[in-house]
Amino acid sequence: MPYIDESPTMSPQLSARSQGGGDSISPTPPEGLAPGVEAGKGLEMRKLVLSGFLASEEIYINQLEALLLPMKPLKATATTSQPVLTIQQIETIFYKIQDIYEIHKEFYDNLCPKVQQWDSQVTMGHLFQKLASQLGVYKAFVDNYKVALETAEKCSQSNNQFQKISEELKVKGPKDSRDSHTSVTMEALLYKPIDRVTRSTLVLHDLLKHTPVDHPDYPLLQDALRISQNFLSSINEDIDPRRTAVTTPKGETRQLVKDGFLVEVSEGSRKLRHVFLFTDVLLCAKLKKTSAGKHQQYDCKWYIPLADLVFPSPEESEASPQVHPFPDHELEDMKMKISALKSEIQKEKANKGQSRAIERLKKKMFENEFLLLLNSPTIPFRIHNRNGKSYLFLLSSDYERSEWREAIQKLQKKDLQAFVLSSVELQVLTGSCFKLRTVHNIPVTSNKDDDESPGLYGFLHVIVHSAKGFKQSANLYCTLEVDSFGYFVSKAKTRVFRDTTEPKWDEEFEIELEGSQSLRILCYEKCYDKTKVNKDNNEIVDKIMGKGQIQLDPQTVETKNWHTDVIEMNGIKVEFSMKFTSRDMSLKRTPSKKQSGVFGVKISVVTKRERSKVPYIVRQCVEEVEKRGIEEVGIYRISGVATDIQALKAVFDANNKDILLMLSDMDINAIAGTLKLYFRELPEPLLTDRLYPAFMEGIALSDPAAKENCMMHLLRSLPDPNLITFLFLLEHLKRVAEKEPVNKMSLHNLATVFGPTLLRPSEVESKAHLTSAADIWSHDVMAQVQVLLYYLQHPPVSFAELKRNTLYFSTDV
């Protein structure tokens, strides 16, 4: 990695994009450069600074010459019968360029001999003072800058001849350079004068730093720096804030292509970074802490020239740094806290509460959202500098990882050169990041404006129908991602359709939405190559064939009818349908109207009919999951295909003799989904409506002994079929959680999935919070999860033991 000096740099944190005067640099040199102290070394540094500046001044003059070159022939044609541009357009586009050229040509011609015939007594402060005094010409240029750009753009669109001229202006290379000419656009050259003032100011600061106070140049350079800084402060807001480029010292345009917040694994811990992708470099930065009233600045952590950047394959990559994963139950607790805080903020606003109280709640909410954003991503994104170090980011979405990779690879197709940035160049580049950035806020909901959409809460039903546009046969599947709590997560996956160019999945999924605003579909080619080593459980080696995203417009999806749409991605078209069910509608338990079957029928009726202690459907689904799904990543969390689940439901309801054969062939997530659906559709919850209030009170008890007594007594109070089935399910879920290192399903994860399904009352009152963001993680749902978690974490207890210990469990319900 190019060396970065983390100590205070020799150049100021100043660029044409810094705002106001709060960050201006004092013209007084740092302490320690008193007269005569290391004077010889200081004067030698002056020569080095001036030599570098003189070389860049030569490039700048060549750029201005290149800009002026087409002006004369354009003026000549303006008076003919076929003008390329009118006189007014020419004067607007090239306004003050001639004057600026003459100022700098004179400055260069006077400075050059002084640097070439260097001695310790040479003075040039008067040249810089004169240059600074002529900044009024630059002010006129800046005032006209936007109009010049707009005029040039309009003329390019309406005139092909001018478009060709403006796209490839030839800039002479420096005298000692092998490159005779380089091609630069007119838009890039028009920005050079603005960038030049920044460069001159940086040089003035460095010259002052290495000039003894008693040197004749010192007061002159001090005056020039003061004028330059004041000028920069006055023009900052006049520059187009939408501009996305910064100029390199060699005169090339460095465009910002992409930026965003990513979690980096650094020194064994997770750090939130702002990553900037420019046309030739990837820069990783963090926002500096600033005192009140100061403008924010970025601190560069590292950078890699794109010419040196490579993506290691999973088998080539180093073992991941040891990062302790954040426990799932703590992530879920954060979500609960966030939703509870949202609810409190809404109540405060509704009651017109004090703004201080609301701000305090918002601060707490931001802290929790920040922690969730930092600790939830698990998908590794590795990049390597071929000259040294590797870096690891963790992302929550393979879509996002693919976007970054594709953007970098697209830029790498150009003829890029390796380089090392000097401290001044790095300072200018890092200084530009604050103004150039396109992502201004950490993606958490507390940063959203009050009038922004809160997103959808409920269930999105999606049918992935088919895909077309593949050029050759492949093994294809799709995944679905939705945003939740500020980041995207994968929610569903179709089966693999083998050896085809036109896969027809026709698979339906039910996806839980938690404030979601977007749906993403990714299409993959399945990799069966066993040589692809997974050094990381979260590594995805399958190739992304295409990806697309749509906004979840409430008016479109909040209808009872299916809405069919097509996402186009890299020439591939994926057809899908979707409809949305609000949270309160999906919570209702609907008793079955028919007497036969098992779904929607009381558990006591089913067990009596079957002459069994545990319903047949529960036993068979559990047996199949334990046989071939206990190591499946996300078992019970990943959605099964809805059409498969409905097929299994119909077979169990009809007591079809082919049940076992069908189960053995069915996708394991569909079987897990069928079991969840069975408990969800019970006419009353497994833990009963009657005992629900007591469970809520029992779990809230603080004294461990009282809680133990109450919770065991409540179990004993359940009807026998309910109790035996619950104990059977508990033992199964504990066995699933034993495989957590492989399946990623902890006891808390399982409690989150099954808690509301086993406890939610059959009659849900229409409460105000059901329509708010706090609906999903309401206090009731939190308590339901905690009840099941209590029993999952409790030492095993048998039906016989519970019945024997009736005297011990004496608390009344």
Side-chain angles (χ1 to χ4, degrees):
M1 184 191 81
Y3 172 71
I4 295 176
D5 184 5
E6 298 251 357
S7 62
T9 57
M10 62 187 278
S11 53
Q13 294 163 7
L14 182 70
S15 74
R17 297 157 215 39
S18 57
Q19 296 177 5
D23 282 338
S24 61
I25 303 138
S26 169
T28 307
E31 288 179 13
L33 277 183
V37 178
E38 295 191 21
K41 187 179 176 183
L43 291 169
E44 186 60 30
M45 284 298 295
R46 282 179 89 220
K47 183 184 176 183
L48 290 173
V49 171
L50 282 167
S51 297
F53 182 63
L54 197 63
S56 69
E57 188 73 2
E58 183 191 348
I59 293 169
Y60 179 49
I61 290 167
N62 290 344
Q63 290 165 345
L64 293 172
E65 277 183 348
L67 199 53
L68 289 169
L69 198 62
M71 188 173 76
K72 289 176 184 176
L74 284 170
K75 275 187 176 179
T77 64
T79 54
T80 65
S81 57
Q82 290 183 311
V84 178
L85 301 181
T86 65
I87 288 289
Q88 187 180 353
Q89 287 170 334
I90 295 166
E91 288 179 349
T92 302
I93 294 169
F94 298 97
Y95 185 68
K96 293 295 178 184
I97 299 294
Q98 184 70 46
D99 294 343
I100 292 172
Y101 170 76
E102 287 169 6
I103 288 168
H104 281 269
K105 187 72 172 68
E106 183 189 355
F107 172 77
Y108 178 84
D109 290 344
N110 288 325
L111 181 64
C112 190
K114 289 181 178 289
V115 176
Q116 288 174 345
Q117 298 159 20
W118 182 261
D119 67 59
S120 60
Q121 298 305 310
V122 74
T123 60
M124 85 301 293
H126 61 288
L127 298 178
F128 280 93
Q129 190 182 40
K130 184 179 179 183
L131 187 66
S133 70
Q134 294 170 310
L135 284 173
V137 177
Y138 274 87
K139 181 71 173 80
F141 173 84
V142 169
D143 289 343
N144 181 69
Y145 174 66
K146 282 186 195 176
V147 183
L149 275 187
E150 288 166 5
T151 306
E153 192 175 342
K154 284 176 187 172
C155 292
S156 290
Q157 289 169 355
S158 60
N159 190 300
N160 288 335
Q161 199 175 346
F162 181 70
Q163 186 181 18
K164 285 178 184 176
I165 294 169
S166 63
E167 281 181 353
E168 284 202 15
L169 292 170
K170 300 294 180 186
V171 179
K172 266 193 312 188
K175 290 171 190 170
D176 302 329
S177 171
R178 291 180 186 175
D179 300 325
S180 57
H181 288 86
T182 54
S183 295
V184 186
T185 65
M186 184 173 287
E187 183 185 351
L189 289 177
L190 281 171
Y191 182 66
K192 302 302 179 188
I194 292 171
D195 218 40
R196 194 65 196 163
V197 183
T198 306
R199 177 82 190 204
S200 301
T201 310
L202 289 168
V203 169
L204 281 167
H205 184 272
D206 288 344
L207 281 174
L208 262 177
K209 188 175 180 180
H210 299 292
T211 301
V213 177
D214 57 356
H215 193 283
D217 271 347
Y218 191 85
L220 302 176
L221 291 172
Q222 208 173 21
D223 188 47
L225 178 60
R226 179 185 56 77
I227 295 167
S228 296
Q229 286 181 172
N230 290 340
F231 174 74
L232 268 182
S233 298
S234 71
I235 69 163
N236 280 323
E237 293 308 310
D238 298 332
I239 300 167
D240 186 355
R242 294 169 298 171
R243 192 173 38 73
T244 60
V246 61
T247 308
T248 69
K250 292 180 182 176
E252 297 153 358
T253 301
R254 182 173 277 141
Q255 194 87 12
L256 177 66
V257 177
K258 180 177 174 62
D259 69 298
F261 289 95
L262 297 181
V263 174
E264 184 191 10
V265 178
S266 175
E267 297 174 353
S269 62
R270 294 166 181 253
K271 312 277 188 185
L272 193 66
R273 305 294 197 209
H274 200 147
V275 181
F276 295 85
L277 175 62
F278 290 91
T279 38
D280 62 345
V281 65
L282 184 75
L283 185 143
C284 179
K286 72 164 189 174
L287 266 178
K288 287 184 177 179
K289 288 182 180 176
T290 52
S291 53
K294 293 275 185 181
H295 294 293
Q296 288 186 303
Q297 290 284 347
Y298 281 99
D299 180 25
C300 176
K301 304 310 293 180
W302 51 264
Y303 71 91
I304 305 178
L306 296 191
D308 293 329
L309 190 152
V310 290
F311 297 107
S313 62
E315 60 269 26
E316 293 170 338
S317 59
E318 305 163 2
S320 296
Q322 283 299 310
V323 184
H324 297 294
F326 218 65
D328 287 323
H329 67 90
E330 291 192 31
L331 293 176
E332 299 300 338
D333 285 345
M334 282 180 207
K335 290 182 182 179
M336 293 178 184
K337 284 178 189 172
I338 291 163
S339 295
L341 286 164
K342 272 184 190 171
S343 187
E344 284 186 57
I345 290 167
Q346 286 168 355
K347 283 177 190 171
E348 284 286 339
K349 285 179 179 175
N351 298 332
K352 296 185 179 175
Q354 291 184 350
S355 58
R356 263 190 202 171
I358 293 171
E359 285 307 311
R360 195 166 56 248
L361 289 169
K362 279 187 174 179
K363 187 181 175 185
K364 275 189 191 175
M365 186 168 131
F366 176 82
E367 287 167 359
N368 279 279
E369 286 193 300
F370 180 83
L371 278 174
L372 185 63
L373 190 72
L374 191 65
N375 291 292
S376 54
T378 57
I379 298 173
F381 175 44
R382 297 182 181 84
I383 54 174
H384 177 69
N385 185 337
R386 67 173 86 246
N387 296 322
K389 202 171 173 185
S390 293
Y391 302 93
L392 172 64
F393 293 106
L394 295 176
L395 283 66
S396 61
S397 154
D398 201 27
Y399 188 104
E400 187 181 2
R401 181 171 71 164
S402 174
E403 280 189 320
W404 278 99
R405 185 179 282 147
E406 286 170 11
I408 291 168
Q409 288 172 337
K410 185 178 178 183
L411 292 169
Q412 287 179 325
K413 288 177 183 176
K414 299 173 184 175
D415 183 25
L416 297 172
Q417 302 297 315
F419 56 85
V420 176
L421 295 174
S422 70
S423 59
V424 174
E425 291 165 353
L426 183 61
Q427 188 71 46
V428 172
L429 182 60
T430 309
S432 73
C433 289
F434 188 79
K435 192 78 177 190
L436 295 184
R437 61 185 180 163
T438 60
V439 180
H440 291 81
N441 294 315
I442 295 167
V444 293
T445 52
S446 46
N447 278 337
K448 284 185 178 179
D449 295 330
D450 290 342
D451 57 353
E452 283 189 62
S453 167
L456 293 170
Y457 290 83
F459 291 92
L460 185 70
H461 300 264
V462 181
I463 302 174
V464 182
H465 295 294
S466 60
K468 293 178 182 178
F470 296 98
K471 292 175 182 173
Q472 55 189 42
S473 292
N475 304 309
L476 304 164
Y477 70 92
C478 286
T479 64
L480 307 178
E481 292 182 355
V482 294
D483 53 321
S484 167
F485 292 91
Y487 58 93
F488 278 84
V489 285
S490 184
K491 287 283 192 175
K493 176 181 172 181
T494 69
R495 67 184 186 277
V496 178
F497 214 101
R498 290 184 176 243
D499 197 24
T500 182
T501 56
E502 292 193 3
K504 292 182 172 60
W505 295 286
D506 289 321
E507 294 182 49
E508 183 183 339
F509 302 94
E510 181 184 77
I511 297 171
E512 189 170 11
L513 303 183
E514 302 166 288
S516 307
Q517 294 179 310
S518 301
L519 169 71
R520 289 172 170 176
I521 299 183
L522 296 91
C523 194
Y524 290 88
E525 179 182 358
K526 180 70 179 172
C527 174
Y528 290 109
D529 185 353
K530 290 182 180 178
T531 62
K532 299 276 187 185
V533 181
N534 274 343
K535 290 203 174 181
D536 192 302
N537 286 333
N538 295 304
E539 188 63 79
I540 299 165
V541 296
D542 298 341
K543 181 184 176 185
I544 294 181
M545 304 297 287
K547 62 187 191 306
Q549 175 174 311
I550 60 158
Q551 293 302 112
L552 295 174
D553 178 17
Q555 292 182 335
T556 304
V557 297
E558 286 185 329
T559 60
K560 292 180 181 178
N561 302 321
W562 287 94
H563 169 72
T564 303
D565 206 341
V566 172
I567 282 187
E568 293 196 33
M569 42 176 92
N570 298 353
I572 300 163
K573 294 182 179 180
V574 176
E575 186 183 348
F576 66 99
S577 300
M578 60 183 178
K579 69 176 179 178
F580 173 74
T581 308
S582 63
R583 184 73 182 174
D584 52 337
M585 289 301 293
S586 64
L587 288 175
K588 291 182 180 176
R589 293 182 185 269
T590 309
S592 175
K593 292 179 182 176
K594 59 183 188 297
Q595 295 301 310
S596 60
V598 292
F599 283 83
V601 179
K602 284 187 177 181
I603 198 164
S604 56
V605 173
V606 172
T607 50
K608 188 175 180 181
R609 187 203 304 144
E610 293 178 354
R611 296 180 183 176
S612 63
K613 291 182 178 179
V614 176
Y616 179 69
I617 182 174
V618 176
R619 286 182 282 126
Q620 288 309 128
C621 288
V622 164
E623 184 181 321
E624 200 64 34
V625 168
E626 293 196 2
K627 188 190 298 180
R628 58 189 180 91
I630 203 158
E631 293 190 350
E632 182 81 10
V633 175
I635 188 71
Y636 290 119
R637 181 178 58 79
I638 299 289
S639 300
V641 178
T643 43
D644 289 348
I645 293 170
Q646 291 304 315
L648 281 172
K649 176 183 175 181
V651 169
F652 275 111
D653 268 342
N655 196 21
N656 192 304
K657 64 179 186 297
D658 294 329
I659 287 175
L660 293 179
L661 182 64
M662 194 170 176
L663 278 174
S664 63
D665 288 342
M666 193 63 76
D667 174 68
I668 200 65
N669 287 317
I671 294 168
T674 303
L675 182 63
K676 289 189 293 181
L677 184 68
Y678 168 72
F679 286 117
R680 194 192 304 167
E681 290 197 356
L682 284 172
E684 79 161 350
L686 186 65
L687 300 190
T688 72
D689 285 330
R690 181 177 69 87
L691 294 177
Y692 180 74
F695 276 114
M696 294 298 99
E697 289 173 14
I699 199 64
L701 292 171
S702 302
D703 179 58
K707 184 183 283 188
E708 164 87 4
N709 199 21
C710 178
M711 297 301 277
M712 289 302 126
H713 175 61
L714 289 170
L715 273 193
R716 187 182 141 269
S717 305
L718 285 169
D720 285 358
N722 298 57
L723 176 57
I724 294 168
T725 301
F726 181 61
L727 294 175
F728 179 80
L729 183 64
L730 274 184
E731 292 312 303
H732 165 62
L733 295 179
K734 287 179 183 180
R735 286 191 290 272
V736 171
E738 284 171 6
K739 299 287 185 181
E740 182 193 350
V742 182
N743 63 30
K744 310 293 182 189
M745 293 302 289
S746 63
L747 288 175
H748 197 285
N749 270 351
L750 293 163
T752 303
V753 171
F754 276 95
T757 302
L758 301 178
L759 277 131
R760 189 186 67 247
S762 50
E763 289 299 320
V764 179
E765 295 176 19
S766 180
K767 296 177 183 175
H769 72 254
L770 281 177
T771 57
S772 76
D775 157 25
I776 291 176
W777 295 109
S778 66
H779 292 296
D780 280 359
V781 175
M782 290 186 213
Q784 290 159 14
V785 171
Q786 291 303 317
V787 168
L788 181 54
L789 188 59
Y790 180 87
Y791 291 122
L792 284 170
Q793 292 173 337
H794 195 279
V797 57
S798 69
F799 177 77
E801 283 178 295
L802 283 168
K803 292 298 180 183
R804 248 196 332 267
N805 295 334
T806 51
L807 292 174
Y808 176 72
F809 305 120
S810 56
T811 306
D812 289 333
V813 176

